[in-house]
Amino acid sequence: LALMFWNRRLWRVESRGRFVPRVGNVNVPQARTYTGNTPDVINLTEYVQQCRKLLNMATRTGRDKGRFVPEVLATSFLETYDSLSWEGKKQFLQLLATELEADSGEVLNAAKEVIARGESSHIPASTLNQNLREALRPLHDKLFSYIINSHPEGMKHVLGIRGDILQSLREEKNLTHLQAMNRNLQLLLQQWFSIGFLSLERVTWESPASLLEKIIGYSARIHKMEDWHDIKRRIGEGRRCYAFFHSCMKSEPLVFIEVALTKSITKNVHELTQIQTSAPIKESEANTAIFYAIISTQEGLSGVDLGHLLIMEVVKKIQQTVPNITTFSTLSPIPGFRKWLETQLALESNTATTMFPEVPLLTKEEVQFLETYAASASLDTNPITTLKDILNKDWSNDQELEPFLKKLLTRLTARYLVNSRKRGLALDPVANFHLQNGAQVYSINWKGNISPQGMRQSYGLMVNYLYNLPDLKDNSSNYIMKHQISVSDAVRQYIP
């Protein structure tokens, strides 16, 4: 206590008798607690400005190299942030994005020193360049680094904050400063979540119960596990479940994958997820690994590609432990197909145009069928309107409609996956992911997933992406550089 009173560089005594940490002439921002729905924006601004002063001063003096400033500032910041309502957090994030940008004055001074280097050659160019890079680094980037490096649960908090940033950007599109902060934070997280910081672990029935509970909870995002019996089956004989963990979040699976060992490429997910009465296949008899669920658990890692690393590492692990497996394939959803088709039908109805004017959406045979069906059912004779009416009702057990829709929707799914592009790449996000990995569009599967979610996404269709290991590098290069998609003959027949 005597030392604290004596060392006035570190502490200031307020009139009310409490100690306030300080660095040099700058007080460390104190945590603010907000219980109302709308915090005082003036107080938040004042708090962020104090953070800015401390970050600037600590960087200039080198005090950020120790642990005192990062630890105190990280703790104060997280206590303040966690006390805010959702509206308060949105205001706070926007203040951080605008107030903690790179200091333009320091950037200008550092740039002048680099330009004038010829007149002051006693300073190494590498030093001047490093000074410029440091000046260009936003202060909020340094703040997030403080939190990650000095707080026991800093990484978890930063991932939560980025999830809030993404939600804010979904609610309001034109927040340019917040978009810039999001990009910087994404780059920071990409460095932290490289393969060197990740560990691959197999999830088994012997894994901690807390981990199994998390796997059950996260599974609801794709193929829900109903109970403990279900997860025991899906991580047991003939199955594999692997997850990536980070050294800063050792008990939290970041992304996990479910794999089924089979004798052929599975085309229906219900064969893998529903309880089977027959005994599971012997692993020694299997020759195929089906990746049927890849689940990312952290929204804050959106845009940080862990899925590719996970698949490649799991392929290596399976080759080592089950050498008789020679075929690797996914059984994947087509999340954007239904929305795409509904948009195409609306365009056809309203403007008589499609994204592919040289290739009609419907063939002559399909138009003829729809006109005949409409006449017999006393519906609108416009084939587009008739098709929209059919798709909006339950046709799954209609013996007349199902064969027609199977052929029609399979053909349109192939067109969507291969021909619908955004900046040259596949429009469907799952297709784009696997194609960038070097996979091939192998098979389109009718009634691959007839769950409510599967019907909402793609009328129940699913797709196999084949990971033919010798071709992955060339396929990936051709797709990314030339926008060429590897397609099997079975799928190619449906593409005009």
Side-chain angles (χ1 to χ4, degrees):
L1 287 174
L3 285 174
M4 286 194 295
F5 279 115
W6 177 77
N7 191 351
R8 298 181 62 189
R9 292 176 302 164
L10 295 180
W11 299 88
R12 175 170 66 86
V13 182
E14 284 193 339
S15 59
R16 286 172 291 179
R18 59 192 182 102
F19 297 105
V20 178
R22 62 192 280 133
V23 179
N25 295 320
V26 181
N27 296 328
V28 175
Q30 297 300 288
R32 309 287 182 86
T33 302
Y34 298 94
T35 56
N37 291 327
T38 307
D40 188 337
V41 178
I42 297 176
N43 287 338
L44 281 180
T45 303
E46 177 187 348
Y47 179 85
V48 174
Q49 288 173 346
Q50 284 184 301
C51 289
R52 181 183 184 88
K53 290 179 182 178
L54 182 60
L55 287 164
N56 272 327
M57 190 279 300
T59 301
R60 286 195 304 269
T61 61
R63 293 177 184 268
D64 58 340
K65 301 297 189 296
R67 297 198 60 82
F68 177 77
V69 173
E71 286 180 358
V72 173
L73 184 54
T75 301
S76 167
F77 176 86
L78 293 176
E79 288 179 2
T80 299
Y81 187 80
D82 289 342
S83 74
L84 295 171
S85 66
W86 172 237
E87 290 301 319
K89 287 180 178 179
K90 289 196 294 184
Q91 293 176 9
F92 196 26
L93 291 172
Q94 292 180 44
L95 283 170
L96 290 178
T98 54
E99 297 292 331
L100 298 187
E101 290 184 309
D103 189 308
S104 57
E106 292 193 7
V107 172
L108 181 60
N109 291 334
K112 287 180 178 178
E113 290 179 358
V114 172
I115 295 171
R117 194 250 169 186
E119 303 174 6
S120 56
S121 57
H122 63 282
I123 303 177
S126 59
T127 300
L128 295 177
N129 292 335
Q130 177 59 36
N131 292 342
L132 179 57
R133 281 193 293 269
E134 187 66 22
L136 287 167
R137 186 184 179 192
L139 291 176
H140 51 66
D141 194 34
K142 299 177 184 179
L143 174 62
F144 292 133
S145 294
Y146 281 4
I147 296 172
I148 292 172
N149 286 311
S150 62
H151 194 277
E153 294 187 342
M155 182 64 76
K156 183 177 181 180
H157 282 288
V158 169
L159 291 180
I161 290 170
R162 180 153 189 261
D164 291 343
I165 292 173
L166 294 172
Q167 179 60 34
S168 295
L169 292 174
R170 283 193 291 267
E171 294 181 6
E172 190 172 346
K173 303 293 184 183
N174 300 318
L175 301 175
T176 54
H177 289 90
L178 194 60
Q179 290 170 350
M181 186 167 78
N182 176 54
R183 288 192 295 271
N184 277 286
L185 185 51
Q186 180 180 334
L187 291 173
L188 178 65
L189 291 173
Q190 284 174 341
Q191 296 172 4
W192 272 97
F193 286 87
S194 61
I195 188 64
F197 293 99
L198 302 173
S199 61
L200 180 69
E201 297 181 19
R202 182 180 173 186
V203 180
T204 69
W205 188 241
E206 285 71 38
S207 298
S210 58
L211 173 59
L212 298 180
E213 286 182 337
K214 290 177 180 178
I215 296 294
I216 292 174
Y218 290 131
S219 73
R221 300 181 182 184
I222 298 185
H223 307 303
K224 182 179 180 181
M225 296 178 183
E226 297 297 336
D227 50 32
W228 289 96
H229 296 289
D230 204 7
I231 189 175
K232 186 175 183 180
R233 180 179 60 84
R234 283 168 61 171
I235 61 176
E237 178 70 17
R239 301 298 180 93
R240 294 289 188 276
C241 179
Y242 290 97
F244 264 149
F245 295 83
H246 192 276
S247 55
C248 292
M249 302 170 62
K250 295 181 179 180
S251 63
E252 184 67 33
L254 305 174
V255 57
F256 66 92
I257 188 169
E258 292 186 71
V259 187
L261 306 182
T262 66
K263 292 182 178 181
S264 61
I265 294 179
T266 306
K267 301 181 182 299
N268 187 308
V269 75
H270 302 293
E271 296 177 9
L272 305 178
T273 59
Q274 292 181 351
I275 297 177
Q276 305 293 319
T277 56
S278 57
I281 184 175
K282 293 181 179 179
E283 293 187 1
S284 60
E285 299 176 358
N287 58 21
T288 302
I290 301 294
F291 307 134
Y292 66 96
I294 304 174
I295 301 175
S296 176
T297 67
Q298 306 294 317
E299 185 181 9
L301 288 174
S302 177
V304 180
D305 186 7
L306 299 183
H308 168 73
L309 294 175
L310 180 62
I311 289 178
M312 295 299 103
E313 290 299 308
V314 169
V315 166
K316 293 178 186 177
K317 187 69 70 174
I318 291 177
Q319 286 180 316
Q320 293 170 0
T321 57
V322 195
N324 44 293
I325 299 295
T326 56
T327 301
F328 297 89
S329 172
T330 75
L331 180 56
S332 301
I334 316 171
F337 174 61
R338 181 163 185 159
K339 182 179 180 180
W340 172 85
L341 182 54
E342 290 174 346
T343 300
Q344 294 306 298
L345 293 174
L347 290 172
E348 288 266 355
S349 299
N350 297 330
T351 65
T353 61
T354 69
M355 292 177 66
F356 308 98
E358 71 283 1
V359 181
L361 189 66
L362 301 178
T363 66
K364 292 181 180 179
E365 292 78 9
E366 290 164 352
V367 169
Q368 183 178 3
F369 176 91
L370 290 168
E371 289 176 342
T372 303
Y373 180 84
S376 64
S378 300
L379 300 175
D380 191 312
T381 55
N382 183 303
I384 297 297
T385 304
T386 302
L387 180 57
K388 290 165 67 176
D389 292 339
I390 291 173
L391 292 175
N392 286 329
K393 70 175 187 177
D394 183 9
W395 42 262
S396 57
N397 295 316
D398 191 312
Q399 296 182 355
E400 180 182 10
L401 289 177
E402 185 174 331
F404 166 75
L405 290 175
K406 178 180 180 180
K407 184 176 180 180
L408 168 69
L409 293 178
T410 301
R411 180 179 65 79
L412 292 177
T413 299
R415 177 189 288 198
Y416 166 69
L417 292 174
V418 179
N419 290 347
S420 295
R421 307 293 185 95
K422 182 179 181 180
R423 302 188 188 95
L425 302 179
L427 182 62
D428 187 84
V430 175
N432 182 50
F433 168 76
H434 290 297
L435 293 172
Q436 289 199 47
N437 292 343
Q440 178 188 75
V441 183
Y442 180 76
S443 176
I444 297 171
N445 306 316
W446 176 250
K447 286 190 172 182
N449 180 8
I450 56 174
S451 69
Q453 182 182 21
M455 298 301 291
R456 283 193 305 270
Q457 289 183 337
S458 58
Y459 302 103
L461 283 92
M462 297 193 78
V463 57
N464 296 117
Y465 295 102
L466 180 65
Y467 278 72
N468 189 26
L469 302 185
D471 297 335
L472 293 185
K473 185 176 180 179
D474 288 341
N475 287 348
S476 177
S477 176
N478 289 335
Y479 176 66
I480 295 172
M481 304 301 295
K482 302 177 183 178
H483 299 160
Q484 296 175 356
I485 294 178
S486 177
V487 181
S488 70
D489 292 338
V491 174
R492 194 180 305 279
Q493 65 175 318
Y494 295 110
I495 300 172

